[in-house]
Amino acid sequence: MSFLPDMRKWGAAEIVLALSILILVVVVAVPVALIFITAFFVDGAFNLADVTAILTQRDTYEALKNSIIIAFGVTVISTIIGVFFAWLVSRTDLPFKGTMKVLFLLPFMLPSFIGALAWKMLLSPRSGYINKMLMGLFDLQDPVFDIYGYWGIILVESMYLFPFVFIQVCGALERMDPTLEESARIAGAGLTTITRKITIPLIMPSILAGALLIALYSLAHFGVPAILGTEAGIYNIPTKIYEKIHQSAGSFKAIRAGTVLASLLVVSAAIILYVQSLVLKSGRFQIIAGKSVRPVALKLRGFKIPLLIFSAVYLLVTVILPTVTIFLVGSLKTYGLSLDWANMTLENYEYILFTWRLTRDAIFNSVYLALSAAFVTMLAGVMISYVIVKMKPRGKWLLEFLGVLPFSLPGTVIALGVILTWSGRFGVNLYNTAWIIFVAYIARYMAFSLKSNSAALEQVHDSLVEASRACGATQWQAMRHVVIPLARPGMVAAFFLIFLPALRELTTSVLLYGPTTRTIGVAIYTLNEDGETVYAAALASIALVIIVLGQIGIKKLTQARAEGV
Amino acid sequence: MAQVSLQQVAKTYDKHTVFSGLDLHVRDGECFTLLGPSGCGKTVTLRLIAGFEQPTAGTVAIGPRTVSDPARNLAEPPEARRIGVVFQDYAVWPHRTVLENVAYPLMIQNIPRPELTERVRLAIEQVNLTGLEARLPGQLSGGQQQRVALARALVSRPEVMLLDEPLCNLDAHLREEMRFEIKELQRTTGVTILYVTHDQEIALAISDRLAVMDRAGNIRQTGTPEDIFERPADPFVFAFMGVANFIPVALEGGQAVLPGQDRPLDLDHGLAHTLSTPPPGTQFLACRPSDLEPVRESAQIFGRVRRKNLLGAEIDLRVDLGGTEVRVRQDTRQALEQGLIFEEGDTCGLKLHAAHWFDHAAENGGAA
Ligand SMILES: Nc1ncnc2c1ncn2[C@@H]1O[C@H](COP(=O)(O)OP(=O)(O)O)[C@@H](O)[C@H]1O
Ligand SMILES: [Mg+2]
């Protein structure tokens, strides 16, 4: 029941409810609705002919095809990598398992577009450092590697996305009841049979759930294809939308074509999430939770050291090498010089941090936008979750529906929707201001906030609040003394779940930035496009430093909290 | 101190009616138990008194004050009702230590520091938690958390305490100990206690008076534990208070004939002299398994042993009376001493010690 006794028609409860609905409608529902309306209606009439025309145009059709090819490749490869390493750190006697498990999460910290930038510097056919080195070493005429193309995109994305599967599968392997495997062993099954008949089916739902998450992410991913695909004429849906809108300087025709493609993204995302929820539901009954009993680890014997070396090399190549490259290139006097000590300078950093307006603005914008979006989205999320979880009002289904909607909205789609909503159509024109990115971030990260806050509020049983009322506390005191303290961990989590990704955001802001409202992501991307590779790398290094500091900050904060309580 | 009274209270959720005209009067300073099967509306009753729910109709009064009266749009909020509540799930705040949990009601009332400290110490002592003040609830056992909840409800010296099945999650030993402590607390503080439970043993042990509620939310009987146990108002109450036999009877010239017997039940002999002659309209004889004693001589009833279970100190017999199975409890030691061990298939004589006449059987046919 509600905490709020039945009150007059417009009591606090109704106001909070109305406000929650209003926020979700304005921030989420209207932009999405406008995308579909713009895509399927012309002059107020349903128009499918135009949609078909747009979809059968060669470049849009190609973009769709490429999105699917890339998403498929990335999903397959990162699933293989993720499952393999998850198995290695949870089910074998690999040395330093615990440390390795933490290290395999590092790729998450490296934004994939910065990774793509690094790999471009190493493997681009003309100027990639590795290519140049190999050509010099073996006196070759042609470059060995060409990062521009499907394989480059797929491999680079996989490098940074596999932790999605890794985390899911590690979790499943750890939660799995070891007696299931043991009873099979007692029944005389060999290890391969157990793996094939027991282990794999049990962790299959987790594998699929992680894989679908990757498919969803890759399908709508902008950064890597933008940096590694455009050069080779390969566009996926987000990069195509960006190209169309940019080339035509935001003409309605381009936006309309964009909305048709965006509708495709929304529909595929919805299907993927639906399938994922089915998969997770079927998995819930199979993995028996609880028990901290560790299953018997497989003895790697002779493979122990080679596999450890393999894992270390994998991390070196995918994480350390690109990071070092970014820092080194960022220190070069001019791009193309050899990575010699003599060619290094710190002036680049000084220039972009203190002198150059463009980069200074970008850093300021990103930090400011990430902080404020995280704060506002967290607060709105607490309020909406409170309404959904605790007040359970009539019309709650509408909130729940609007609340899950953002889960299925790729960044590109949100950007388009926000353009359609906030470019003067309703009397407010935020185009080319930082506000439009701010609203977009709220829409984009609302899902995180709702998830984290509802989970926390579910834990606050009604009786805890009622106990406080029975002790003489007013409704507001009960809120302050019981609900907020208990919901605070969820709020803190929501804040950081939004702040960190918002800090490095590219997909959404690249469609929304104006002359003075570049974010760090946009600045790195545009500098790279303009051939300012060294400055792009220097700014990327600074971004990496901020991200790492942010992560350490969270770690410190959550540890202090864990000890404090 | 205060009495609690509910008059003609109705409570309806959407279409589901929990009760339609509930009357309940708890006297000042007594320990009153509301006993009923789960789902009958006990928790709803407490929530109505505490003010977490409002009645659809009727009035709720605590002491001289009417606190809920929908007809007059009166609904005093929970914090104004000066009650202590112990919730079914404890509802101890996980982010506050034992001390902070117990001190909370006094902090809300802005009690000055020295008095607060003293009263909190006393409350913690009363529930035997001294020494655990700095612990968080997560570091306590279920029974200890229960006691924190009890101390928290006590510390503000409420006029009325509402306890919702506070012992049902505890193990048998702890339950007994806590039951004793609650009773003791009530004696020393004189607080009015309304205790709800589905466990008739606790209800009988703890209450000054109790009320038995049925599944439909009707109160079937109110009275002292002796009243309820010895003089049940109807078959439901009788069945709810323990394992019950309902034996169909036929009336012949004002005398009762039990199934499978060739003559009417002889009430003048044996120990059933407390039993009156069956009133007109009697359909059933109801008795407890321990009211039937297996004997060799001067038996009033004869049957055939269907099953025998040795349970340790007691023997559980299922005896067939012309197609009706009755349960009989026999003291093992006595049975051995007197050579009264029956085997399955044996014919067995029974002596009736106490019984009730009813015109219908209990709707649920047995104990809760
Ligand atoms: N908030 C509610 N909404 C709808 N039905 C309720 C609500 N609270 C209780 N009920 C119903 O009222 C009946 C009595 O519940 P309750 O008082 O909790 O039983 P118990 O006697 O076990 O404590 C149950 O049938 C329950 O389903
Ligand atoms: Mg209950």
Side-chain angles (χ1 to χ4, degrees):
Chain A
M1 267 272 63
S2 89
F3 293 170
L4 307 163
D6 324 321
M7 278 195 277
R8 287 137 284 129
K9 260 229 144 5
W10 277 91
E14 281 75 14
I15 293 172
V16 171
L17 171 63
L19 199 59
S20 302
I21 294 180
L22 188 74
I23 292 175
L24 286 180
V25 166
V26 170
V27 171
V28 178
V30 171
V32 178
L34 282 180
I35 284 183
F36 282 103
I37 292 172
T38 315
F40 292 98
F41 290 83
V42 177
D43 302 325
F46 188 69
N47 186 330
L48 211 56
D50 275 19
V51 175
T52 336
I54 290 171
L55 284 181
T56 46
Q57 267 169 29
R58 200 183 151 70
D59 61 338
T60 42
Y61 160 77
E62 287 280 331
L64 179 60
K65 198 185 76 185
N66 289 337
S67 256
I68 292 171
I69 292 175
I70 293 168
F72 181 78
V74 171
T75 308
V76 170
I77 292 179
S78 33
T79 303
I80 294 171
I81 303 176
V83 172
F84 175 70
F85 284 131
W87 169 79
L88 207 57
V89 301
S90 2
R91 278 308 168 86
T92 69
D93 60 349
L94 187 79
F96 311 112
K97 274 197 301 193
T99 320
M100 291 311 275
K101 192 178 162 193
V102 177
L103 290 178
F104 276 120
L105 296 178
L106 279 182
F108 256 168
M109 290 226 287
L110 194 63
S112 49
F113 70 91
I114 294 184
L117 197 62
W119 283 106
K120 184 200 108 167
M121 294 162 184
L122 291 169
L123 295 181
S124 82
R126 271 173 291 114
S127 50
Y129 283 104
I130 292 183
N131 273 331
K132 281 205 285 196
M133 188 180 77
L134 290 176
M135 284 159 80
L137 269 181
F138 300 106
D139 205 16
L140 302 171
Q141 295 303 310
D142 294 314
V144 185
F145 298 105
D146 183 358
I147 193 74
Y148 297 127
Y150 290 110
W151 278 111
I153 298 172
I154 291 175
L155 288 178
V156 171
E157 275 188 39
S158 303
M159 276 178 205
Y160 304 105
L161 290 185
F162 85 89
F164 279 122
V165 169
F166 178 80
I167 291 175
Q168 291 267 0
V169 176
C170 275
L173 284 173
E174 273 156 24
R175 285 196 309 274
M176 203 173 103
D177 187 345
T179 53
L180 289 172
E181 282 183 336
E182 272 152 25
S183 48
R185 190 167 292 195
I186 289 162
L191 188 68
T192 30
T193 319
I194 292 172
T195 309
R196 201 162 46 83
K197 289 253 169 80
I198 312 271
T199 317
I200 299 276
L202 277 175
I203 59 172
M204 209 46 172
S206 305
I207 297 178
L208 282 177
L212 287 167
L213 215 57
I214 288 178
L216 178 60
Y217 190 95
S218 172
L219 203 59
H221 179 63
F222 175 84
V224 178
I227 291 172
L228 300 179
T230 335
E231 195 97 358
I234 297 171
Y235 290 90
N236 70 350
I237 296 180
T239 53
K240 186 86 250 167
I241 293 177
Y242 172 74
E243 193 225 25
K244 275 187 178 299
I245 290 178
H246 242 247
Q247 270 182 359
S248 65
S251 80
F252 183 72
K253 188 158 164 287
I255 289 185
R256 175 130 198 277
T259 57
V260 173
L261 290 172
S263 308
L264 284 177
L265 279 185
V266 176
V267 172
S268 10
I271 294 173
I272 289 177
L273 283 170
Y274 179 68
V275 173
Q276 197 203 24
S277 75
L278 290 186
V279 165
L280 283 178
K281 217 177 277 168
S282 75
R284 188 162 306 155
F285 304 101
Q286 299 188 2
I287 294 171
I288 298 152
K291 320 244 181 66
S292 50
V293 192
R294 282 269 164 173
V296 190
L298 173 76
K299 297 228 175 349
L300 293 171
R301 298 175 208 283
F303 291 106
K304 205 159 157 177
I305 300 304
L307 279 172
L308 179 68
I309 294 175
F310 175 75
S311 308
V313 168
Y314 178 87
L315 286 168
L316 269 174
V317 170
T318 59
V319 182
I320 308 296
L321 178 62
T323 310
V324 170
T325 307
I326 288 285
F327 276 91
L328 288 181
V329 173
S331 318
L332 279 180
K333 286 178 179 146
T334 323
Y335 187 53
L337 292 178
S338 64
L339 296 172
D340 248 324
W341 202 239
N343 296 333
M344 303 285 173
T345 169
L346 282 178
E347 274 168 31
N348 299 338
Y349 295 106
E350 200 189 319
Y351 180 62
I352 60 170
L353 273 178
F354 303 109
T355 317
W356 198 8
R357 184 72 198 274
L358 185 144
T359 46
R360 263 173 44 206
D361 277 356
I363 295 170
F364 175 79
N365 286 339
S366 270
V367 173
Y368 191 74
L369 278 168
L371 278 176
S372 49
F375 188 69
V376 170
T377 313
M378 172 198 78
L379 286 185
V382 182
M383 184 176 76
I384 297 168
S385 310
Y386 185 82
V387 173
I388 293 178
V389 176
K390 290 297 173 192
M391 286 167 49
K392 302 181 188 139
R394 260 162 297 180
K396 169 180 123 171
W397 63 270
L398 178 65
L399 274 178
E400 276 175 340
F401 173 72
L402 291 175
V404 293
L405 201 55
F407 284 96
S408 59
L409 295 182
T412 313
V413 175
I414 285 172
L416 270 184
V418 163
I419 293 176
L420 291 169
T421 315
W422 300 101
S423 303
R425 191 189 197 108
F426 299 107
V428 187
N429 194 344
L430 303 178
Y431 203 67
N432 276 350
T433 69
W435 286 105
I436 198 161
I437 304 178
F438 177 72
V439 233
Y441 280 3
I442 294 180
R444 180 148 195 206
Y445 298 115
M446 186 57 84
F448 292 171
S449 180
L450 289 179
K451 203 169 211 167
S452 162
N453 280 306
S454 333
L457 283 171
E458 298 274 9
Q459 305 298 312
V460 188
H461 293 289
D462 289 2
S463 62
L464 292 177
V465 176
E466 286 168 352
S468 148
R469 297 296 298 280
C471 288
T474 61
Q475 201 171 305
W476 173 235
Q477 283 174 318
M479 191 79 149
R480 256 178 37 225
H481 297 151
V482 178
V483 180
I484 293 178
L486 289 174
R488 199 176 289 141
M491 290 163 71
V492 173
F495 183 86
F496 287 109
L497 276 176
I498 298 165
F499 176 69
L500 283 176
L503 202 60
R504 56 199 254 190
E505 209 286 332
L506 172 62
T507 308
T508 306
S509 49
V510 81
L511 284 171
L512 299 174
Y513 77 92
T516 59
T517 58
R518 285 183 172 82
T519 58
I520 294 182
V522 171
I524 296 172
Y525 173 68
T526 51
L527 286 174
N528 174 58
E529 289 289 276
D530 299 344
E532 300 279 8
T533 314
V534 167
Y535 289 124
L539 186 55
S541 328
I542 288 167
L544 289 179
V545 170
I546 299 178
I547 290 167
V548 170
L549 287 180
Q551 290 280 5
I552 294 173
I554 295 174
K555 189 115 199 186
K556 284 258 143 61
L557 210 88
T558 42
Q559 265 170 2
R561 175 161 299 280
E563 283 157 15
V565 164
Chain B
M1 292 300 139
Q3 73 271 22
V4 174
S5 82
L6 277 70
Q7 271 175 345
Q8 285 302 304
V9 165
K11 181 66 191 172
T12 304
Y13 292 108
D14 295 326
K15 289 188 191 74
H16 177 72
T17 299
V18 185
F19 19 72
S20 44
L22 180 69
D23 283 305
L24 193 69
H25 300 278
V26 182
R27 292 174 194 151
D28 186 5
E30 77 176 337
C31 182
F32 187 95
T33 301
L34 182 59
L35 174 67
S38 69
C40 74
K42 303 181 298 290
T43 299
V44 171
T45 310
L46 287 198
R47 294 172 61 80
L48 285 168
I49 298 170
F52 301 131
E53 308 267 352
Q54 296 306 323
T56 317
T59 61
V60 179
I62 298 175
R65 300 167 292 149
T66 300
V67 289
S68 286
D69 184 359
R72 287 192 288 140
N73 236 337
L74 177 73
E76 203 171 272
E79 62 268 25
R81 296 193 176 192
R82 295 201 290 278
I83 41 161
V85 183
V86 177
F87 291 82
Q88 198 161 359
D89 60 353
Y90 320 144
V92 178
W93 301 303
H95 61 301
R96 289 169 177 265
T97 61
V98 170
L99 190 79
E100 288 165 343
N101 263 282
V102 177
Y104 185 79
L106 302 184
M107 268 164 50
I108 292 285
Q109 291 173 31
N110 287 320
I111 304 285
R113 199 86 212 163
E115 186 190 342
L116 180 141
T117 317
E118 180 53 26
R119 277 170 67 177
V120 170
R121 192 191 61 75
L122 201 73
I124 290 180
E125 193 183 286
Q126 272 177 318
V127 296
N128 286 327
L129 282 179
T130 311
L132 301 180
E133 289 88 346
R135 297 256 188 109
L136 282 168
Q139 303 163 303
L140 299 178
S141 71
Q144 289 169 329
Q145 292 187 30
Q146 189 65 74
R147 284 188 270 177
V148 175
L150 207 55
R152 187 179 62 189
L154 272 172
V155 74
S156 59
R157 301 191 184 140
E159 299 178 334
V160 178
M161 290 243 290
L162 307 175
L163 304 168
D164 193 353
E165 316 226 11
L167 308 184
C168 72
N169 294 327
L170 306 183
D171 64 50
H173 170 72
L174 210 59
R175 197 178 320 168
E176 197 145 324
E177 190 176 311
M178 286 295 295
R179 187 171 84 189
F180 184 75
E181 274 173 32
I182 291 174
K183 190 75 191 155
E184 192 57 33
L185 274 174
Q186 194 240 346
R187 245 196 293 275
T188 50
T189 59
V191 60
T192 307
I193 289 184
L194 174 55
Y195 187 107
V196 310
T197 181
H198 65 267
D199 181 335
Q200 84 281 358
E201 272 180 43
I202 293 180
L204 290 172
I206 209 170
S207 321
D208 296 317
R209 290 194 312 139
L210 65 151
V212 183
M213 194 182 241
D214 66 14
R215 285 211 162 68
N218 301 310
I219 290 189
R220 292 293 187 92
Q221 189 176 2
T222 307
T224 62
E226 291 73 30
D227 282 339
I228 304 279
F229 196 74
E230 297 294 331
R231 291 175 288 281
D234 63 22
F236 174 83
V237 175
F238 184 77
F240 196 77
M241 300 312 293
V243 183
N245 290 311
F246 284 92
I247 308 168
V249 298
L251 289 187
E252 280 175 17
Q255 284 186 301
V257 183
L258 300 189
Q261 313 300 311
D262 43 20
R263 54 200 167 83
L265 186 63
D266 178 4
L267 292 174
D268 302 327
H269 292 90
L271 292 161
H273 55 269
T274 51
L275 198 58
S276 57
T277 48
T282 295
Q283 299 265 354
F284 289 94
L285 178 147
C287 62
R288 306 267 172 225
S290 54
D291 293 334
L292 289 166
E293 185 195 1
V295 287
R296 290 256 184 250
E297 284 149 30
S298 67
Q300 292 161 290
I301 306 166
F302 293 93
R304 186 177 293 275
V305 176
R306 246 190 222 168
R307 261 197 283 149
K308 186 191 95 174
N309 280 318
L310 178 66
L311 305 176
E314 287 173 330
I315 299 171
D316 176 44
L317 293 175
R318 308 284 168 112
V319 180
D320 179 80
L321 305 182
T324 301
E325 188 180 86
V326 300
R327 294 179 66 170
V328 176
R329 269 291 153 98
Q330 201 180 7
D331 187 272
T332 307
R333 195 164 46 87
Q334 217 172 341
L336 283 171
E337 278 168 5
Q338 302 175 1
L340 281 167
I341 298 293
F342 294 92
E343 291 307 326
E344 288 168 16
D346 288 355
T347 302
C348 141
L350 296 169
K351 209 174 193 176
L352 185 66
H353 289 263
H356 304 274
W357 303 116
F358 289 123
D359 57 5
H360 62 279
E363 48 268 55
N364 58 350

